[in-house]
Amino acid sequence: MHGDTPLPVPQFQQGAGAAASQHHDQRPLRIMPSHDTPKPIRADAARNRTRLLDAARHAFTSGQVPVSMKQIARDTGVGIGTLYRHFPTREALVEAIYRHELAQLCADAEALLHTRHPAHALRSWMDHFADYAMTRRETADALRAVLASGAGTVSPAREQLSATVQTILAAGIAAGTLRDDVHAEDVVIILVGMLTTTSPADGRDQLGRMFDLLMDAVRAPVPDRPERTPRPARL
């Protein structure tokens, strides 16, 4: 039976039951790769899903505590049953938000490359990455858990982010402004490490400085200009 179950922000419970233990409440949400082929849905159902996701994102980022499933359904103007048909659990709802935000983050890279030189685009994308992970707290834990978990394995999220960084690196290599021996996945891992060790409350300036240091490491070296031989003085 589904009730008006609160959604704590930023931590999420691992189960859908209201009786989940406190130990489970503190465990980060882990997004598992799905191998099921999505079934097509009707146009009206797709619209409801989009509206539910929009309402959920707004609720999570507006500072409402607690955020309940019933409130999200009410804000959308649909019944609670409609919400649960699209998102049977809290984790399913947060995962959908997470994947949408991650896709948008990756799409930002292409937009930046159309308006900035590759090196500037990469530095700006780092800021987008930090804003995503630090301000969208309801999905930040999910992002960190997915990217930091599974030693020895590569998650779909890490692959997606690495492909995005590689797109920018390739443009920079072609322009001669970024090094050609930098691995995109290394850049992603460094960014995640910076984010997981920096306090969201007062670490934004520190992150900016660390991003600048990382950019210094990936920029292509400027060739030394040959020294000019002084001309002999005229007598």
Side-chain angles (χ1 to χ4, degrees), residues 13-207:
Q13 297 178 1
Q14 292 295 308
S21 66
Q22 182 66 22
H23 172 71
H24 284 167
D25 288 348
Q26 295 177 352
R27 292 169 57 187
L29 174 67
R30 300 170 77 92
I31 306 300
M32 302 302 295
S34 175
H35 302 289
D36 297 333
T37 302
K39 297 180 180 179
I41 58 177
R42 302 190 314 270
D44 58 338
R47 285 192 295 270
N48 282 339
R49 179 184 174 87
T50 299
R51 291 168 56 208
L52 285 165
L53 286 173
D54 289 342
R57 279 195 298 271
H58 175 75
F60 287 135
T61 57
S62 65
Q64 298 180 36
V65 178
V67 177
S68 71
M69 298 287 270
K70 187 175 181 179
Q71 180 62 46
I72 292 171
R74 185 183 303 119
D75 291 345
T76 309
V78 301
I80 190 67
T82 299
L83 171 58
Y84 278 111
R85 279 195 296 275
H86 286 281
F87 308 106
T89 65
R90 290 186 291 273
E91 286 79 8
L93 177 60
V94 177
E95 177 179 350
I97 297 172
Y98 160 80
R99 293 191 184 282
H100 175 86
E101 296 284 350
L102 183 61
Q104 183 58 55
L105 176 66
C106 293
D108 287 346
E110 292 287 350
L112 289 169
L113 281 174
H114 281 90
T115 58
R116 293 171 171 82
H117 294 297
H120 294 159
L122 180 58
R123 180 61 182 83
S124 296
W125 187 83
M126 291 179 184
D127 285 331
H128 286 218
F129 189 95
D131 291 341
Y132 165 71
M134 298 185 75
T135 63
R136 286 157 175 78
R137 295 183 300 170
E138 75 285 351
T139 56
D141 287 342
L143 172 69
R144 296 178 183 188
V146 167
L147 295 178
S149 66
T153 64
V154 180
S155 71
R158 185 179 298 178
E159 287 184 334
Q160 191 174 357
L161 289 168
S162 296
T164 298
V165 172
Q166 183 58 47
T167 298
I168 305 178
L169 289 177
I173 292 169
T177 56
L178 296 176
R179 288 169 46 181
D180 60 3
D181 60 346
V182 175
H183 294 271
E185 186 175 355
D186 293 347
V187 175
V188 172
I189 297 303
I190 292 171
L191 290 174
V192 173
M194 291 176 177
L195 288 165
T196 55
T197 56
T198 305
S199 168
D202 54 5
R204 195 61 181 84
D205 290 340
Q206 184 182 44
L207 270 178

